[in-house]
C-alpha cells in the first residue's frame, strides 16, 4: 500500500507485514517556484521585455538548482535579442517547474534629412556660399534632437553654418527606439573683393 504523508521533509513509516515490521523513509521535496527576471534598458521602459531592434535582454532564471532553456542553454542567465517566447525548466531535488517570458522587438525609425538651399552652383546640394542659410528637415520619428547650436527639437530647422559643418539629428519613435542621420553642409568662401586702381 502507499502510506499517506503530509508536509515537506523526511517521514519515517513503520508497518508490519506478515508479522515482520518494516521501516522506511519518505523524503518529500518542494516543487521549485520557477521565475524569469528580464533585464534590459532598451525602449520606453527598462526591464519590460520590449526592446528596440539590435538591443539585448538578459533572462535570469530562479527557483532551482539546474536550468534548461527552450534555446537549449543550461546556464542560469541567457542573452536574447529576438522576439518570441522563452521558457526555462527549473529542477531542484528531481522536482521541476517551468516559467516563460515573452520578448517583443520593435523596429528602429528610419531617420533622414532633406537639405533645402539656393546658394552656390546647384540648389539643395548642401554646397553653399559663405553667409547663406540652409533649411534642414528631419523625418522618420516622433521627436527630434539636433546637434546644431542650442540643440533644437523641431523637425525642421534653419542654420547659418560659418564653415563646413556636419549636422546630426537623433530621431525617436513612439516605442522609444532611436536612430540618427547626418548631413554635411560645405561652405565655400566668397571671392575676394578686387582692388581697382584708376
Amino acid at each position: 500500500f502507499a502510506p499517506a504523508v503530509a508536509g515537506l521533509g523526511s517521514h519515517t513509516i513503520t508497518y508490519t507485514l506478515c508479522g515482520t515490521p518494516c521501516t522506511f523513509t519518505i523524503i518529500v521535496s518542494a516543487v521549485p517556484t520557477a521565475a524569469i527576471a528580464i533585464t534590459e534598458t532598451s525602449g520606453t521602459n527598462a526591464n519590460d521585455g520590449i526592446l528596440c531592434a539590435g538591443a539585448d535582454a538578459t533572462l535570469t532564471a530562479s527557483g532551482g538548482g539546474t536550468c534548461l532553456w527552450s534555446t537549449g542553454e543550461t546556464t542560469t542567465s541567457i542573452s536574447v535579442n529576438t522576439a518570441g517566447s522563452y521558457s526555462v525548466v527549473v529542477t531542484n531535488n528531481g522536482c521541476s517547474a517551468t516559467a516563460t517570458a515573452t520578448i517583443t522587438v520593435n523596429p528602429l525609425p528610419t531617420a533622414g534629412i532633406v537639405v533645402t538651399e539656393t546658394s552656390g552652383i546647384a540648389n539643395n546640394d548642401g554646397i553653399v556660399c559663405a553667409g547663406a542659410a540652409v533649411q534642414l528637415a528631419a523625418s522618420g520619428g516622433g521627436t527630434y534632437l539636433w546637434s546644431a547650436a542650442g540643440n533644437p527639437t523641431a523637425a525642421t530647422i534653419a542654420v547659418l553654418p560659418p564653415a563646413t559643418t556636419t549636422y546630426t539629428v537623433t530621431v525617436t519613435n513612439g516605442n522609444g527606439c532611436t536612430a540618427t542621420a547626418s548631413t554635411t553642409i560645405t561652405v565655400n568662401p566668397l571671392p575676394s573683393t578686387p582692388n581697382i586702381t584708376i
Side-chain angles (χ1 to χ4, degrees), residues 85-181:
S85 180
Y86 296 86
S87 61
V88 63
V89 177
V90 173
T91 302
N92 192 12
N93 292 323
C95 301
S96 298
T98 302
T100 301
T102 299
I103 298 295
T104 301
V105 178
N106 289 318
L108 302 179
T110 302
I113 299 174
V114 174
V115 177
T116 302
E117 46 82 13
T118 57
S119 179
I121 296 173
N123 293 343
N124 308 325
D125 62 355
I127 303 173
V128 300
C129 299
V134 180
Q135 179 177 284
L136 305 177
S139 61
T143 62
Y144 304 93
L145 179 64
W146 293 90
S147 63
N151 300 118
T153 57
T156 301
I157 64 172
V159 295
L160 193 67
T164 296
T165 305
T166 297
Y167 295 94
T168 299
V169 64
T170 300
V171 177
T172 303
N173 64 17
N175 295 316
C177 300
T178 62
T180 60

Side-chain angles (χ1 to χ4, degrees), residues 179-190:
T180 60
S182 297
T183 190
T184 298
I185 303 300
T186 301
V187 178
N188 290 323
L190 298 176

Side-chain angles (χ1 to χ4, degrees), residues 51-113:
L51 313 178
C52 298
D56 293 324
T58 299
L59 307 182
T60 303
S62 61
T66 63
C67 301
L68 177 59
W69 292 89
S70 53
T71 60
E73 295 166 277
T74 57
T75 53
T76 301
S77 297
I78 64 172
S79 180
V80 300
N81 56 19
T82 304
S85 180
Y86 296 86
S87 61
V88 63
V89 177
V90 173
T91 302
N92 192 12
N93 292 323
C95 301
S96 298
T98 302
T100 301
T102 299
I103 298 295
T104 301
V105 178
N106 289 318
L108 302 179
T110 302
I113 299 174

